[in-house]
Amino acid sequence: MNHHRRLFRHRFQISRCFSSPSLSFDPPPAILQRRVVVTGLGMVTPLGCGVETTWRRLIDGRCGIRALTPGDLKMEGFDKETTLHTFEQLVSKVAAIVPSGTDEGEFNEEIWLRSKRLRRLSPFFIPRILINMAAGHVSMKYGFKVPNHAAVTACATGAHSIGDAARMIQFGDSDVMVAGGTESSIDALSIAGFCITLCLCRSRALTTKYNSLPKESSRPFDCDRDGFVIGEGSGIMVLEELEHARDRGAKIYAEVRGYGMSGDAHHITQPHTDGRGAILAMTRALGQSGIHPNQVDYVNAHATSTPLGDAIEASAIESMFSDHATSGTLALSSTKGATGHLLGAAGAVEAIFAVLAIHHGIAPPTLNLENPDPIFHDGFKPLSAPMKMPIRAALSNSFGFGGTNASLLFACPP
């Protein structure tokens, strides 16, 4: 026993010696930030399945929003009477739904889904509801041993996922990352939940005025907007360290130049009226990029078609870009008029639109912009039609409940 006590005291003295403040560690090695580029794109949206199909239909002014039907509510376990009663209670009856089928540009569910009879409580219940399990399945299927990470930031999720992945590459955690967002919330519970957020917002979250005119229901920045259209879809990017991409001869669509984040610290659903959260996120993205605000050619706005949010973001963009915005040299649009609001997937899908705008030299339009909000003046006005123009830098905004904001700045390939 005495031997063990002496040995413990000896080890304790050694431990104290090595942890003494006088023997502190040298500073960690300096990390040289690496350049990150976009080398792959994938999309499933209400406009269609695939990048080319979605982009072509977006530029052509097509709309992926349609009228809801009782069959869209995913109530297979309920009788017809209950399903119809539930459907009748919904005050918003439009949605942006991914087209399903076997034709070109449609999503073939049979390839991906295999129905199984489950017990009342499946042993897979917990793994299925874990947010990080989507990333986990991709990692396991393809053997990716890079950081396996999941962001959960409401409607900014897709943007945060891409920005976080870019940071991981910049800091040397990986040479390649697969990042994006996905959402499938077209069901009775989700739609009803958004319909009753009146107690949290100054107006309903979802549109209710255009049930008979679904393709006109999502109208960002328009005076007659009254809420967003719930949508579903997915957007994925392959991000890669620049030299790694060059060494393998990869096609480079754009470079990730800036990633800004902020919090409103104000309200769970409403942005502050001065737009300070949006301004801070855009400022940080630009500050990292080495690009002057006047060098940004296109902004893909978060604008969801809500009365309050659209006006505040427009004001923030004008404050951020000043004369560059009011002179008409900055192209601005919200693509949610075509896709609806894809919630957790919105940031990723719209970041891809920003990248494609650079790649093709076309700024996409804002659908249903018939009577622009009075906040717009002079040359500061969203595009109502696609515009062919050289786009060297494009910014994509994404804002979420809880006051979380993200801005991604992309530039033409190095």
Side-chain angles (χ1 to χ4, degrees):
M1 178 67 77
N2 289 335
H3 170 73
H4 288 298
R5 286 176 178 171
R6 287 195 298 272
L7 181 61
F8 174 78
R9 284 197 296 269
H10 177 66
R11 288 178 175 172
F12 181 67
Q13 289 170 351
I14 292 175
S15 174
R16 288 180 60 190
C17 175
F18 278 101
S19 62
S20 171
S22 62
L23 297 175
S24 59
F25 292 107
D26 292 333
I31 298 176
L32 180 64
Q33 282 197 4
R34 307 189 302 169
R35 298 178 74 173
V36 181
V37 293
V38 180
T39 57
L41 303 169
M43 305 172 80
V44 175
T45 77
L47 288 172
C49 186
V51 172
E52 292 183 6
T53 298
T54 296
W55 179 252
R56 183 180 68 252
R57 291 175 179 173
L58 177 68
I59 298 303
D60 287 345
R62 302 271 293 276
C63 180
I65 299 170
R66 65 169 173 82
L68 269 176
T69 68
D72 296 321
L73 302 184
K74 300 181 177 69
M75 296 181 65
E76 288 80 3
F78 295 85
D79 59 61
K80 184 178 180 180
E81 183 180 354
T82 301
T83 300
L84 289 175
H85 177 72
T86 302
F87 179 74
E88 290 168 0
Q89 302 306 304
L90 299 177
V91 294
S92 181
K93 291 186 172 66
V94 293
I97 300 175
V98 172
S100 298
T102 57
D103 293 338
E104 183 182 358
E106 294 182 334
F107 184 74
N108 189 344
E109 294 181 346
E110 295 303 319
I111 295 177
W112 302 97
L113 302 178
R114 295 291 181 268
S115 59
K116 297 179 181 179
R117 181 178 293 276
L118 300 177
R119 288 170 281 187
R120 287 187 176 179
L121 186 61
S122 166
F124 295 103
F125 173 70
I126 294 298
R128 285 185 179 194
I129 65 173
L130 295 177
I131 297 298
N132 68 305
M133 200 50 63
H137 280 302
V138 172
S139 172
M140 288 182 281
K141 180 173 182 177
Y142 296 102
F144 296 157
K145 294 177 179 155
V146 296
N148 182 344
H149 171 79
V152 186
T153 51
C155 304
T157 297
H160 277 134
S161 296
I162 292 169
D164 290 350
R167 290 257 175 99
M168 292 172 192
I169 295 173
Q170 286 175 334
F171 280 83
D173 295 317
S174 176
D175 290 326
V176 184
M177 293 289 289
V178 177
T182 184
E183 188 72 77
S184 181
S185 294
I186 310 296
D187 57 72
L189 184 61
S190 299
I191 296 171
F194 278 114
C195 282
I196 62 172
T197 53
L198 180 63
C199 59
L200 298 177
C201 307
R202 295 181 184 177
S203 59
R204 283 190 178 92
L206 295 184
T207 178
T208 59
K209 286 169 54 177
Y210 297 92
N211 288 338
S212 61
L213 298 167
K215 295 192 181 301
E216 298 179 19
S217 56
S218 182
R219 40 200 321 116
F221 297 129
D222 189 81
C223 283
D224 295 321
R225 66 190 186 275
D226 76 318
F228 72 82
V229 174
I230 192 169
E232 64 180 3
S234 178
I236 301 293
M237 283 187 181
V238 177
L239 304 179
E240 197 165 347
E241 191 273 325
L242 175 60
E243 296 308 320
H244 187 278
R246 283 175 170 170
D247 288 345
R248 70 181 189 89
K251 179 179 181 178
I252 298 176
Y253 290 90
E255 180 179 13
V256 183
R257 289 294 295 245
Y259 170 40
M261 298 177 284
S262 72
D264 288 340
H266 174 63
H267 189 272
I268 60 174
T269 62
Q270 298 175 15
H272 197 281
T273 53
D274 64 6
R276 60 193 179 195
I279 292 171
L280 189 55
M282 290 187 285
T283 299
R284 287 172 172 166
L286 281 160
Q288 294 172 13
S289 70
I291 294 174
H292 190 275
N294 288 354
Q295 294 176 301
V296 175
D297 300 301
Y298 170 64
V299 174
N300 185 293
H302 176 71
T304 62
S305 189
T306 59
L308 184 66
D310 289 17
I312 292 175
E313 184 182 6
S315 178
I317 291 170
E318 183 181 7
S319 297
M320 184 75 235
F321 293 97
S322 189
D323 293 343
H324 183 44
T326 56
S327 68
T329 53
L330 176 69
L332 165 70
S333 69
S334 169
T335 47
K336 289 185 175 74
T339 66
H341 188 7
L342 274 58
L343 306 177
V349 167
E350 290 158 16
I352 293 174
F353 288 157
V355 168
L356 291 173
I358 294 171
H359 182 67
H360 293 290
I362 304 175
T366 306
L367 296 193
N368 301 314
L369 186 64
E370 298 172 357
N371 187 16
D373 191 288
I375 197 168
F376 296 105
H377 60 93
D378 299 327
F380 181 47
K381 181 181 176 182
L383 297 174
S384 57
M387 177 180 288
K388 290 187 177 182
M389 56 183 288
I391 301 177
R392 298 182 62 232
L395 184 76
S396 179
N397 285 335
S398 296
F399 313 134
F401 278 6
T404 181
N405 310 299
S407 293
L408 291 166
L409 182 61
F410 299 95
C412 53

